[in-house]
Amino acid sequence: MELDAAETRVVGSLIEKQLTTPQQYPLTLNALVAACNQTSNRNPVVSYDASAVEAMVAGLKDKGLLRFVHPSHGRSATRYRQVLDEVLGLEEKPLALLGVLMLRGPQTVGELRARTERMATFADLGEVEAVLEELGRREEPLVMRLARQPGQKEERYAHLLAGEVTGEEPVAAVPVAATGPDPVAELRAEVAELRRQLDEVREQLGL
């Protein structure tokens, strides 16, 4: 399985809406276009039109990763739902992590925990890392851990549904210690995430 960037955006958007707004899921074509083109929680921001998204969902259906839900029970429009979780046997927590990685690219453990809050509940950073490592240890890995970039204190994780991450150095997976997460590492990740959020607020305020 290897998706292109547009297909990744479509599936990631469907995962996000499935877990955050289940009452509105599956999505109509117009809702899916809007989800793909959101300016928040997306990197990069894109501008797909309806015909492009329609072509993408047809291709994803052919790949067995998306299903059409035809009108019924008073609904007048065809809707779309992802079946990546069924194909790969994913539960809610790994699905949430993959969805956020598909929508925002490589991220740290702290960023992933913060950005999946509305999608799944993780006890702590250690649980997030444990789920990521499990995804990386599958027979066909779905996630890889990336080496720290210059000036960065935290390692990031990236999904592999679109193939190997170019321009990045992977690091070997390290099993999570049986004794539990490292509290110092958790604290550092939380501080890094708080700093990132503070920088975003400062940028919005023009400080």
Side-chain angles (χ1 to χ4, degrees):
M1 180 192 309
E2 188 167 327
L3 307 179
D4 62 27
E7 291 171 332
T8 299
R9 176 58 58 91
V10 168
V11 176
S13 297
L14 287 169
I15 290 171
E16 180 192 64
K17 300 308 178 186
Q18 175 184 345
L19 297 178
T20 59
T21 56
Q23 69 278 9
Q24 298 172 14
Y25 186 83
L27 301 185
T28 63
L29 178 62
N30 287 340
L32 181 54
V33 172
C36 290
N37 293 343
Q38 273 184 217
T39 57
S40 61
N41 304 318
R42 303 287 187 269
N43 184 29
V45 172
V46 298
S47 182
Y48 300 147
D49 60 26
S51 60
V53 174
E54 200 164 21
M56 292 173 213
V57 298
L60 287 165
K61 182 178 185 294
D62 291 342
K63 292 182 177 181
L65 299 178
L66 182 146
R67 288 183 187 157
F68 291 11
V69 180
H70 297 291
S72 64
H73 305 294
R75 290 178 169 177
S76 59
T78 298
R79 293 172 178 256
Y80 308 99
R81 70 182 186 92
Q82 64 82 25
V83 290
L84 184 72
D85 51 351
E86 297 176 16
V87 172
L88 298 178
L90 299 172
E91 296 182 352
E92 184 178 87
K93 291 179 181 179
L95 182 65
L97 290 172
L98 275 178
V100 172
L101 288 170
M102 295 168 81
L103 292 175
R104 301 192 68 154
Q107 296 159 76
T108 66
V109 172
E111 289 170 336
L112 286 166
R113 187 188 182 195
R115 292 165 179 171
T116 54
E117 282 182 339
R118 295 178 58 218
M119 303 168 73
T121 302
F122 292 94
D124 50 35
L125 295 174
E127 185 181 10
V128 177
E129 188 170 11
V131 174
L132 289 167
E133 296 292 349
E134 287 175 8
L135 289 170
R137 287 196 295 264
R138 290 172 64 119
E139 184 176 348
E140 293 187 8
L142 300 177
V143 163
M144 66 185 293
R145 188 152 54 97
L146 306 175
R148 292 184 184 92
Q149 291 187 325
Q152 289 188 332
K153 295 182 179 179
E154 305 295 331
E155 292 172 346
R156 297 170 303 147
Y157 288 81
H159 74 84
L160 296 173
L161 294 169
E164 290 290 330
V165 183
T166 58
E168 298 280 0
E169 282 292 327
V171 295
V174 178
V176 177
T179 55
D182 179 355
V184 175
E186 283 194 13
L187 184 58
R188 286 175 177 167
E190 288 176 357
V191 169
E193 175 60 16
L194 287 171
R195 284 175 176 166
R196 182 195 64 78
Q197 292 177 6
L198 180 59
D199 288 341
E200 287 185 357
V201 172
R202 284 174 173 166
E203 185 178 348
Q204 291 171 2
L205 296 176
L207 300 177

